[in-house]
Amino acid sequence: FYPTGMHFVKLLFYTPEFFTVFWNSMKLVVCILIGQLLIAVPAAWAFGRYRFRGRRILFLLYMILMIMPFQVTMVSSYMVLSELSLMDTHLAIILPGIFSAFPVFIMQKFFRSIPDALVEAAMVDGAGQFKIFLHVGVPLGLPGIMASVLLNFLEYWNAIEQPMTFLKEQRLWPLSLYL
């Protein structure tokens, strides 16, 4: 037995579907991660830094959503996506992924650990809430943001059940389902 690269040659030169499903996976994962950053980072900042009425209940709901597996919400998701005519489109995978509760949970812990004195110092220097979030919160919460991005990349790159449920046309499949 001698190792050869023949299987790679077969994959790259004789199966053009590989490139289609690879780019489908890239499109899905990048869109989901960008959407999660736009939604989850401000939400995690709000949960981690602000004290408001109903925060604990709302965060408890986030936790419950995070714990529930896809199989529990599959039928309701299918009905909603079907009603919106999103079945058999990449948006059927992207939209539910963007509103995941998991990145909010991870990032909230990092934002909560930022010292109050640092935020107060930024306020004394004249920074508003958005500036504090952008120039203090995001840089100090970057380890949590990167951890969330890495974990969610792995989750959505390897996703099988959602594409199998919502995508019927093989040309739309991601790499995980194709393999």
Side-chain angles (χ1 to χ4, degrees):
F1 171 76
Y2 297 101
T4 66
M6 194 58 195
H7 293 293
F8 290 109
V9 170
K10 285 181 184 177
L11 178 68
L12 296 175
F13 292 113
Y14 299 116
T15 53
E17 310 90 37
F18 172 77
F19 295 106
T20 303
V21 296
F22 176 80
W23 288 113
N24 285 343
S25 288
M26 289 297 293
K27 175 184 171 185
L28 290 172
V29 170
V30 167
C31 289
I32 288 171
L33 292 179
I34 289 171
Q36 281 183 349
L37 287 176
L38 293 174
I39 300 289
V41 173
W45 176 258
F47 279 123
R49 299 305 308 169
Y50 298 125
R51 305 293 175 249
F52 54 89
R53 186 183 199 115
R55 181 178 64 94
R56 288 180 180 241
I57 299 293
L58 195 56
F59 195 70
L60 179 66
L61 288 173
Y62 256 86
M63 295 291 293
I64 291 170
L65 286 173
M66 189 181 76
I67 292 170
M68 288 188 349
F70 172 71
Q71 296 84 356
V72 173
T73 61
M74 180 172 47
V75 174
S76 60
S77 297
Y78 189 93
M79 291 173 63
V80 168
L81 292 170
S82 180
E83 193 67 30
L84 294 173
S85 300
L86 293 176
M87 292 301 294
D88 219 18
T89 66
H90 283 149
L91 281 177
I93 308 298
I94 293 169
L95 286 178
I98 286 174
F99 297 103
S100 173
F102 183 62
V104 175
F105 172 72
I106 291 177
M107 289 185 259
Q108 180 261 354
K109 299 293 183 192
F110 282 87
F111 288 139
R112 184 180 285 173
S113 69
I114 295 172
D116 290 335
L118 199 57
V119 174
E120 290 169 5
M123 284 183 191
V124 168
D125 286 343
Q129 293 297 323
F130 183 72
K131 206 167 198 175
I132 292 171
F133 166 68
L134 204 58
H135 295 289
V136 175
V138 172
L140 292 177
L142 203 56
I145 293 169
M146 295 309 295
S148 171
V149 167
L150 179 66
L151 291 171
N152 282 302
F153 175 84
L154 292 173
E155 178 182 349
Y156 289 103
W157 185 265
N158 294 319
I160 290 181
E161 292 174 327
Q162 294 91 337
M164 190 183 304
T165 306
F166 302 136
L167 302 175
K168 301 301 175 213
E169 290 186 39
Q170 192 170 1
R171 67 180 178 81
L172 297 172
W173 285 3
L175 188 59
S176 58
L177 192 57
Y178 178 77
L179 292 176

